[in-house]
Amino acid sequence: MTNSVSAADIDDKALLQELVAWVEIETPSHDANAVNRLVDRVEGLAKSASLDVERLPGTLGLGDILTVRSPRAEGSNEKSVLVLAHFDTVHAHGVIAKQLPLKRDGDKLYGPGIYDMKSGALMALEALKIAVARGSRMPVDLVFVPDEEIGSLSSRAYMERLAASAGYTLVVEPARDGGKIVIARKGVAMYDVTIRGRASHAGTRPQDGRSAIRAAARLVLDLEALNDAERGITVSVGTIQGGTGRNTIPAECRMQVDVRVPDDKAAAEITARIEAMKPVDPDITFEITGQMNRPPFAQSADGVKLFDTAAEIAAKLGITLEGVVTGGGSDGNFTAALGVPTLDGLGADGAGAHTFDEHIFVSSLAPRTALLANLMMSLEPK
């Protein structure tokens, strides 16, 4: 590959300065105005770099979707490199002032959303600017969505529409365990369950009641029995709430259920079993709502080739690239399920996603930005 980019070509001081500015704009998923403040900044940066920009107004009360594109001939129907990033974080307003201040400790830089995934989002923008300046073979569509952390409900259809004309997908979620990238992810299903019984006085008329909490306890055991470590299936009841008082047989109980499955076969089997669950007591009812939120992301044969290309590029940058399979979902699940070769975890190295220990390793920014730029420039049209 000619015009290859090295870590030394990256202005890491400027990159770091811009990253700090992004992190200082706190962007909880459900605050559209906050997310759009960052959209405004990035839209301005992209336009100043002479990149094409499309901004779609938010739906469902969420922030806008921003797509930054490499210039191309009008009417071009070439397949693109689709790059996926998100602006939203799990952290609430005020975290940066109290629990997770922006601070540097040696190679570690701490801050809310810095690892998941404002660093990766910024790296993707910088890589695109470099790839355009040096001449990429394929057009690139870089999509920033406002709602990945809450399931991409407002942005999934748009990403899937772009994936239909994409040759490859690169996802700049954070790297794992020392810089490993993600080659496959489990599918994710989310269920809300409401158990309804009948209230009565626990002391004087217990026989008249039908305990929703007792039925829920039995249901929890049935759900947890679906776990299968050998097959990579996990089912977890994450929250449970019920009852109105100590001396009342509880008439209602609610729970939230998280499901992770490795493939389509397991997804169909486990979701069918959950949705078919019935109470033992005819006076108890179950209301089970939910579905697969993200389909399984299995590594395809073309995905293996894409990884091999990335590993070869990484080796020239002094990076030994390793692939891992993870239980967490991302927007890469959507594109992989549509048959688009997908690589994930191409963002910064670090740790502590979704915690008050969230940080990146500053030394990973430049080489991994160079890796992204070289990938964008080297992928062959399909």
Side-chain angles (χ1 to χ4, degrees):
M1 178 182 63
T2 59
N3 296 325
S4 62
V5 182
S6 70
D9 294 321
I10 307 299
D11 186 345
D12 51 358
K13 290 184 179 179
L15 195 65
L16 197 59
Q17 183 178 12
E18 184 62 27
L19 177 57
V20 167
W22 286 30
V23 176
E24 287 176 336
I25 303 172
E26 293 180 287
T27 52
S29 304
H30 290 288
D31 189 334
N33 290 332
V35 172
N36 283 344
R37 282 194 288 273
L38 184 53
V39 176
D40 291 341
R41 184 180 185 93
V42 178
E43 182 179 21
L45 290 172
K47 287 180 176 177
S48 68
S50 300
L51 299 172
D52 295 335
V53 175
E54 179 183 13
R55 182 168 177 169
L56 301 178
T59 59
L60 305 178
L62 301 170
D64 297 349
I65 299 172
L66 184 70
T67 303
V68 179
R69 294 188 169 93
S70 59
R72 64 203 68 175
E74 187 174 348
S76 170
N77 60 359
E78 289 182 89
K79 286 189 174 292
S80 67
V81 179
L82 177 60
V83 185
L84 300 180
H86 66 85
F87 283 144
D88 63 318
T89 77
V90 301
H91 296 287
H93 284 297
V95 165
I96 197 169
K98 298 177 182 178
Q99 297 97 332
L100 187 51
L102 254 171
K103 65 177 183 179
R104 184 166 181 175
D105 181 9
D107 193 34
K108 294 180 180 180
L109 182 63
Y110 293 81
I114 196 167
Y115 176 57
D116 186 12
M117 62 173 293
K118 289 182 178 177
S119 52
L122 175 58
M123 290 160 58
L125 179 62
E126 184 65 20
L128 176 55
K129 289 161 57 178
I130 294 170
V132 168
R134 299 201 180 193
S136 56
R137 302 184 187 187
M138 293 180 65
V140 179
D141 295 325
L142 169 55
V143 181
F144 299 96
V145 302
D147 59 345
E148 191 276 342
E149 295 292 4
I150 55 173
S152 303
L153 298 178
S154 75
S155 55
R156 176 178 179 174
Y158 177 71
M159 288 185 285
E160 289 179 332
R161 188 162 70 249
L162 290 184
S165 58
Y168 310 90
T169 299
L170 308 177
V171 187
V172 288
E173 289 284 351
R176 307 299 169 90
D177 303 325
K180 297 173 184 174
I181 66 171
V182 177
I183 57 173
R185 291 180 180 269
K186 291 183 181 181
V188 182
M190 299 178 184
Y191 286 98
D192 293 308
V193 183
T194 302
I195 303 96
R196 295 187 175 90
R198 187 165 64 231
S200 70
H201 194 291
T204 61
R205 302 294 297 179
Q207 69 276 14
D208 293 345
R210 297 293 184 270
S211 173
I213 288 179
R214 182 173 60 192
R218 184 178 286 119
L219 179 58
V220 169
L221 295 178
D222 290 342
L223 288 165
E224 300 270 355
L226 298 175
N227 279 286
D228 189 331
E230 188 173 332
R231 293 178 64 191
I233 296 168
T234 61
V235 179
S236 174
V237 177
T239 69
I240 188 164
Q241 297 174 317
T244 56
R246 186 192 305 272
N247 61 354
T248 303
I249 301 297
E252 186 172 287
C253 187
R254 297 175 181 270
M255 62 176 70
Q256 294 179 314
V257 183
D258 180 274
V259 180
R260 310 281 165 146
V261 287
D263 51 47
D264 290 335
K265 180 180 179 181
E269 174 191 336
I270 298 302
T271 56
R273 291 176 68 178
I274 290 173
E275 292 165 15
M277 287 184 170
K278 304 292 183 184
V280 174
D281 187 331
D283 292 330
I284 297 285
T285 62
F286 292 168
E287 180 184 339
I288 302 174
T289 59
Q291 59 188 345
M292 290 297 301
N293 170 262
R294 299 182 191 277
F297 163 5
Q299 189 181 36
S300 64
D302 284 340
V304 173
K305 293 177 183 177
L306 178 57
F307 173 81
D308 290 343
T309 298
E312 183 179 343
I313 293 170
K316 294 175 182 177
L317 294 166
I319 302 171
T320 301
L321 210 58
E322 296 182 50
V324 296
V325 178
T326 180
S330 85
D331 290 335
N333 288 61
F334 302 137
T335 60
L338 292 173
V340 182
T342 301
L343 272 188
D344 204 336
L346 288 162
D349 190 12
H354 297 195
T355 76
F356 295 147
D357 188 48
E358 184 170 356
H359 62 272
I360 61 164
F361 298 120
V362 174
S363 59
S364 72
L365 291 176
R368 295 181 76 87
T369 300
L371 170 60
L372 279 169
N374 288 334
L375 255 176
M376 291 176 186
M377 290 190 293
S378 65
L379 292 175
E380 298 284 350
K382 298 180 70 175

